[in-house]
Amino acid sequence: MKTNFPITCKGIDYPSLLENFKVLLKRNGLKYTLQREHILKILYKSNKHLSPELLYNEIKLDAPELNIGIATIYRTLTLLEEAELVTSISLDKQGKKYELADKEHHDHMICTNCGKIIEFIDNEIEERQKQISKQHQFKMTGHSMQIYGLCNECQQNNKEK
Amino acid sequence: MKTNFPITCKGIDYPSLLENFKVLLKRNGLKYTLQREHILKILYKSNKHLSPELLYNEIKLDAPELNIGIATIYRTLTLLEEAELVTSISLDKQGKKYELADKEHHDHMICTNCGKIIEFIDNEIEERQKQISKQHQFKMTGHSMQIYGLCNECQQNNKEK
DNA sequence: GTCGCTGCAAAGTCTTTGCAGAGAG
DNA sequence: CTCTCTGCAAAGACTTTGCAGCGAC
C-alpha cells in the first residue's frame, strides 16, 4: 500500500488534528474507525515515544469498552508510519517506539539509565549530513541519530550513591 | 559480567589479533575456545556487518565439524560486545548486526534498497555532538547515526528502469 | 578435578497473519 | 451491500535459558 500524507501534527490542537486525520484517511482510501482515533489521541496526548505495548495499555485504560487488540495497534502503527503520520525510532533493547510526526525533524538523546528521551535539532549536523551524502554519491532520504549517555538527573543520583 | 578490553582490531593482521584476543580473554577470566576463535575469525575476514544468523551460517560453512550452535553465537556476541571487542548497530527491520570494534568510531549510511552499508567518520559532527550534550547537561557515553537512502549503484539501476 | 562453555531443545519475547464476523461508507 | 477493519488465536521470527555433558586450564 502506498500512501501520500503531506502533514504536520504537533503544535495543533486535537480537534484540528483529528479533522486532518479524517481527511487524510479518506484521501488514502482508508476508513475512519474508533480504534484509529484512539491511537491518534493517545499519541497526541502523551506527546512522547510509545512502544506498541504501552500504547495498547494506555488505550485499554482510556477506553476499556473498545476492547482493542494488540494486533490492531501494530497494524495501525505500520500504516500510520507509511503514511508519515507517525515516526519511529528503534532502540537496541527496547524495540521500536512511535511518536506523532513532527513538523520539524529532530534527533534523540537517550538516557541509558532511566530511558528518558530528550529531543533536539541541530542544523549544523543536518547540513553536514547532506554534504557527506553528496560526497559519497548517496541519495539521502532520511537519517536518525541517537546520543546515548546519562541525563542530568541520573548523573546526580549516581553521585549520591 | 564486567570486562575491560582496551583494544583496537582492524588494521592488524589476523595472527596478531588472535594473540590479542587470547590475552584479553584471559585477562577477563574467560576461556579460549575454538567456537570463540571462529567467531572472531569470520568477523575479521568478512570485515562487514553480520547478523547472528549470517555469522552462524558462515561458521557452519567454514568449519562444519565444529557443529557450532546458534546459541553460542548469541552468547558470544553479547559477551564480546560487553567487552567492546565488537560493536553492533540495530536496523529497524533487519535486527542487530555486528562488526569487529574499530580503532576509529564511525557512522553508517544504509541503502534502503540493497542493504549496503557504507561507513564514514566526520569529525565536525562528532564535535558538534559533544557540544550539544554539554548544552543539555547530558553525559554522552556513545552515539550512533545512520543516514538512510539510495547508494550510487541503486540510483543508477532505478534510472534504467 | 573444577568450573566455564557448549549444543540441544524448550521457552520466551515481540510481531505478524488467517479467519470469520463487525462495521464504515 | 461491499469491502475494509477488527479481535482472537495461532503462527512466525528472533533471542534467551536450563541442563547435562564436554573441555580448557
Side-chain angles (χ1 to χ4, degrees), chain B residues 5 46 49 53-54 128 136:
Chain B
F5 284 16
S46 80
H49 298 78
E53 202 182 343
L54 245 162
R128 194 77 191 106
H136 287 82

Side-chain angles (χ1 to χ4, degrees), chain B residues 2 4-5 32 38 111 120 126 128 130 151 153 155 160:
Chain B
K2 185 56 194 153
N4 185 24
F5 284 16
Y32 163 80
H38 272 87
C111 178
F120 70 91
E126 303 289 318
R128 194 77 191 106
K130 285 180 200 159
C151 68
E153 209 169 306
Q155 288 173 56
E160 285 163 22

Side-chain angles (χ1 to χ4, degrees), chain A:
Chain A
M1 194 209 67
K2 184 57 195 152
T3 51
N4 183 25
F5 284 15
I7 194 173
T8 64
C9 290
K10 282 184 183 168
I12 75 174
D13 56 304
Y14 184 65
S16 309
L17 174 62
L18 185 53
E19 270 323 298
N20 220 338
F21 183 60
K22 287 183 183 174
V23 170
L24 292 170
L25 287 177
K26 192 170 290 178
R27 187 181 300 168
N28 285 275
L30 302 173
K31 290 184 175 174
Y32 163 80
T33 65
L34 269 183
Q35 286 82 349
R36 289 176 178 179
E37 168 167 355
H38 272 87
I39 290 172
L40 182 76
K41 185 168 139 198
I42 297 296
L43 283 172
Y44 178 82
K45 274 174 53 180
S46 81
N47 194 32
K48 64 183 177 192
H49 298 78
L50 295 175
S51 65
E53 203 183 343
L54 245 162
L55 190 45
Y56 175 67
N57 293 335
E58 288 291 316
I59 294 177
K60 281 279 191 195
L61 275 177
D62 196 51
E65 75 285 359
L66 239 196
N67 195 28
I68 199 170
I70 188 85
T72 299
I73 308 282
Y74 279 101
R75 282 189 282 231
T76 304
L77 286 176
T78 304
L79 197 143
L80 295 182
E81 189 170 19
E82 283 176 1
E84 295 180 19
L85 255 167
V86 307
T87 58
S88 70
I89 49 173
S90 61
L91 311 166
D92 281 8
K93 278 284 166 199
Q94 308 161 66
K96 249 181 166 180
K97 289 191 171 189
Y98 294 83
E99 65 176 339
L100 276 189
D102 193 67
K103 80 186 94 177
E104 307 258 34
H105 159 80
H106 60 258
D107 294 306
H108 301 102
M109 258 176 235
I110 299 156
C111 178
T112 49
N113 187 238
C114 70
K116 189 196 293 172
I117 297 172
I118 302 167
E119 300 176 352
F120 69 92
I121 317 178
D122 187 74
N123 288 325
E124 198 174 305
I125 289 181
E126 303 289 318
E127 203 44 55
R128 195 77 190 105
Q129 287 175 336
K130 285 179 201 160
Q131 288 174 27
I132 293 166
S133 299
K134 193 172 284 182
Q135 275 170 29
H136 288 79
Q137 297 174 292
F138 191 83
K139 186 174 179 183
M140 176 164 91
T141 55
H143 74 268
S144 79
M145 185 177 114
Q146 296 83 237
I147 296 181
Y148 296 96
L150 288 177
C151 68
N152 194 14
E153 210 168 305
C154 287
Q155 288 173 55
Q156 302 303 328
N157 290 343
N158 275 2
K159 273 182 203 157
E160 286 164 20
K161 282 172 197 166

Side-chain angles (χ1 to χ4, degrees), chain B residues 30-31 33 35-36 67-69 72 75:
Chain B
L30 301 173
K31 289 182 176 173
T33 65
Q35 285 83 347
R36 289 176 178 177
N67 195 29
I68 199 170
T72 300
R75 282 188 283 232

